[in-house]
Amino acid sequence: MTELLWTLPQGDTPRAATLLLAHGAGAAMDSGFMNRFAGHAAAGLAVARFEFAYMAGRRNGGAKRPPPKADLLVGEYQTALQEVLKSVEGPVLVGGKSMGGRVAAMLAAGGSLPKRVLGVVCLGYPFHPQGKPDDWRMAPLEGARRPVLIAQGDRDGFGNAAELAEVSLPAHVELVWLEDGNHDLAPRGASPATWDGNLALAAQAAADFARRLANA
């Protein structure tokens, strides 16, 4: 059984959907980014987080190994999704931070997703490896059979606003830019934007995305 970490809306706050959220390549499901985003997202979404086996192994004293190739993690994501679908009713989104969002998009390319999995939410999508702007990772986005929302910092080293201005994204992919954000959506200290402000905007965009899909 996949261990899920839940962050739920408080009181009578309505939830637009449940968001299953995977971590990035180097930080766990309870990293600062994941905790902060889940806290903001709970204003409109129920959030379930999980860890891939390589990351969970680090908690048990295992070696700090690099993650497997993203396509080898799709099966683990599918297992976590099955746990969520058994736990909740209503619409579900799949998504993740960086690598986790890429794996979620790969999962959405499959033909066996239940109809109540409405879309994909990517937080800081790794459009290319850092420092390799010509090595585009568009295939997961192009292959996704669900709408995709990407919340991206406009100076993200894995795909910034200037680079993406030269690229045509698939029609089912929606891109939301966060002011002066890096790969964690965090702005620099001199920016008028704030990290919590950018995370709140990303969370609101995800909730609005869920509502639009649910009402389509």
Side-chain angles (χ1 to χ4, degrees), residues 167-210:
V167 174
S168 295
L169 293 175
H172 62 272
V173 176
E174 176 183 347
L175 191 55
V176 175
W177 290 107
L178 284 309
E179 183 177 355
D180 199 47
N182 61 13
H183 196 50
D184 287 336
L185 312 184
R188 291 166 288 194
S191 173
T194 66
W195 193 23
D196 274 314
N198 279 355
L199 291 175
L201 289 171
Q204 184 62 57
D208 291 344
F209 178 64

Side-chain angles (χ1 to χ4, degrees), residues 15 27 43 57 75-76 84 107 132 136 140 143 179 209:
R15 67 180 69 178
E76 290 187 47
V84 167
L107 176 65
K132 298 180 179 180
W136 290 97
E179 183 177 355
F209 178 64

Side-chain angles (χ1 to χ4, degrees), residues 15-215:
R15 67 180 69 178
T18 298
L19 170 61
L20 176 59
L21 197 65
H23 57 83
M29 66 179 177
D30 56 357
S31 67
F33 175 93
M34 297 287 278
N35 285 340
R36 284 177 180 242
F37 177 80
H40 287 292
L45 297 166
V47 181
R49 290 173 269 169
F50 77 100
E51 286 181 342
F52 296 111
Y54 82 90
M55 183 63 72
R58 295 181 185 180
R59 294 184 184 273
N60 299 320
K64 191 174 182 180
R65 298 174 299 166
K69 291 184 178 180
D71 59 335
L72 299 179
L73 296 172
V74 174
E76 290 187 47
Y77 203 118
Q78 175 70 45
T79 299
L81 176 59
Q82 290 170 352
E83 290 294 327
V84 167
L85 292 172
K86 288 189 296 185
S87 301
V88 300
E89 298 179 350
V92 173
L93 301 173
V94 294
K97 169 73 171 76
S98 190
M99 180 198 73
R102 185 180 174 205
V103 176
M106 290 177 173
L107 176 65
S112 60
L113 278 183
K115 289 183 178 180
R116 64 188 179 109
V117 180
L118 302 184
V120 183
V121 175
C122 300
L123 306 172
Y125 185 80
F127 282 98
H128 58 70
Q130 192 163 22
K132 298 180 179 180
D134 296 324
D135 186 7
W136 290 97
R137 293 166 170 163
M138 292 295 185
L141 302 178
E142 293 167 347
R145 300 187 182 188
R146 297 290 193 275
V148 180
L149 172 71
I150 301 174
Q152 194 84 355
D154 60 18
R155 59 183 183 88
D156 191 327
F158 293 80
N160 61 42
E163 293 167 344
L164 268 296
E166 305 298 322
V167 174
S168 295
L169 293 175
H172 62 272
V173 176
E174 176 183 347
L175 191 55
V176 175
W177 290 107
L178 284 309
E179 183 177 355
D180 199 47
N182 61 13
H183 196 50
D184 287 336
L185 312 184
R188 291 166 288 194
S191 173
T194 66
W195 193 23
D196 274 314
N198 279 355
L199 291 175
L201 289 171
Q204 184 62 57
D208 291 344
F209 178 64
R211 293 188 187 96
R212 291 199 306 272
L213 295 179
N215 294 325

